[in-house]
Amino acid sequence: MSATTARVAIVTGGSRGIGRQVVSRLAADGYAVVVNYASNDAEGRSAAEEVIAKGGQALAIRADVSDEVAVAALFDAAEEAFGGVDVVVNAAGVMTPGTPLVDLDLNVLDRVMRVNMRGAFVVAQQAARRLRRGGALITFSTSVTKLAHPGYSAYNASKSAVEGMTLILARELRGRDITVNTVAPGPTATDLFLGANTEEAIARLAAQPPLERLGQPADIAEVVAFLAGPARWVNGQVLLVNGGII
């Protein structure tokens, strides 16, 4: 692999759903992409091989985003393979909807917060230390922080924390020429979303935006690509990407 690639991106949660679409989209823009995944080796390798088959450069690295040692090793691998890191997209996350706060198992709360909040913090910390000038960090929140759907208390809490952290980091990186933004999708047709909701709920949510459909991973990936590259004057923002649902 070349150590002279012009632009290099790390995408956490890059083996499935929105993350995988982001990998494909950034690779199409000429990025060398490091595909991070949590556990499924086959899916991680497949996402990287798909990029390579199209003539791009990619590397699959397994790492738990909440583990600071593993995330540091992930960044080490990216730097060793490609010479540096320019864009970090933290798309890794878990969703456990449907249970009211009063009945929520605290073990579930701990898992959601560990992956979504601590994971975002750990990845952002490494990104802040390692991103090259002209770089971008893109974290993921959710439009549920505004919609406040019942049954999403843990998920909403974890993603609200991500938003607050991201906006502060954008200001802490003054003088580095690094943008820091959050993308907050609405209902999006991923395995994570479709598997966590009933058919009735999916139909209801799809009907809510004025565009009258669910978002697609490609819709979200287009916004990520915009923030990763040309959108140098968008900084310290939460971008709601939900078809006008709110």
Side-chain angles (χ1 to χ4, degrees):
M1 295 182 184
S2 170
T4 59
T5 305
R7 297 279 282 179
V8 179
I10 293 174
V11 181
T12 72
S15 65
R16 301 179 63 192
I18 291 171
R20 185 155 183 163
Q21 191 65 46
V22 168
V23 166
S24 178
R25 181 66 178 80
L26 292 182
D29 282 351
Y31 287 81
V33 185
V34 178
V35 181
N36 162 253
Y37 62 98
S39 60
N40 192 316
D41 293 325
E43 286 188 343
R45 287 195 301 268
S46 173
E49 289 167 357
E50 186 176 280
V51 170
I52 294 168
K54 294 177 181 178
Q57 297 184 87
L59 178 67
I61 301 290
R62 180 173 180 167
D64 174 355
V65 292
S66 67
D67 181 340
E68 63 271 28
V69 175
V71 171
L74 168 67
F75 277 75
D76 288 342
E79 291 174 345
E80 181 178 353
F82 300 121
V85 180
D86 301 286
V87 172
V88 174
V89 182
N90 187 48
V94 294
M95 179 193 300
T96 55
T99 304
L101 183 149
V102 68
D103 297 321
L104 188 69
D105 186 325
L106 293 182
N107 289 322
V108 173
L109 173 66
D110 289 344
R111 178 171 179 262
V112 170
M113 296 301 287
R114 182 170 181 84
V115 175
N116 292 357
M117 188 277 286
R118 179 186 166 90
F121 195 99
V122 169
V123 171
Q125 194 169 59
Q126 286 296 322
R129 293 169 180 169
R130 310 230 202 172
L131 279 170
R132 296 188 283 208
R133 292 188 67 84
L137 168 63
I138 300 150
T139 64
F140 267 75
S141 179
T142 172
S143 292
V144 173
T145 59
K146 305 296 186 294
L147 293 166
H149 290 312
Y152 283 81
S153 57
Y155 186 64
N156 194 330
S158 70
K159 292 300 190 176
S160 295
V162 171
E163 290 186 12
M165 174 197 74
T166 303
L167 300 187
I168 288 172
L169 182 58
R171 288 147 181 84
E172 290 181 344
L173 294 184
R174 174 181 292 274
R176 292 273 305 278
D177 190 25
I178 294 170
T179 61
V180 186
N181 293 288
T182 297
V183 172
T188 305
T190 64
D191 290 343
L192 178 68
F193 172 81
L194 297 174
N197 288 279
T198 65
E199 290 186 12
E200 180 184 3
I202 291 167
R204 174 174 49 80
L205 290 167
Q208 287 182 355
L211 297 177
E212 295 187 327
R213 65 173 176 85
L214 293 176
Q216 296 297 317
D219 296 322
I220 314 305
E222 284 296 326
V223 177
V224 172
F226 173 64
L227 294 173
R232 299 305 304 168
W233 200 234
V234 181
N235 190 30
Q237 303 299 317
V238 178
L239 279 74
L240 298 174
V241 186
N242 56 37
I245 195 170
I246 49 175

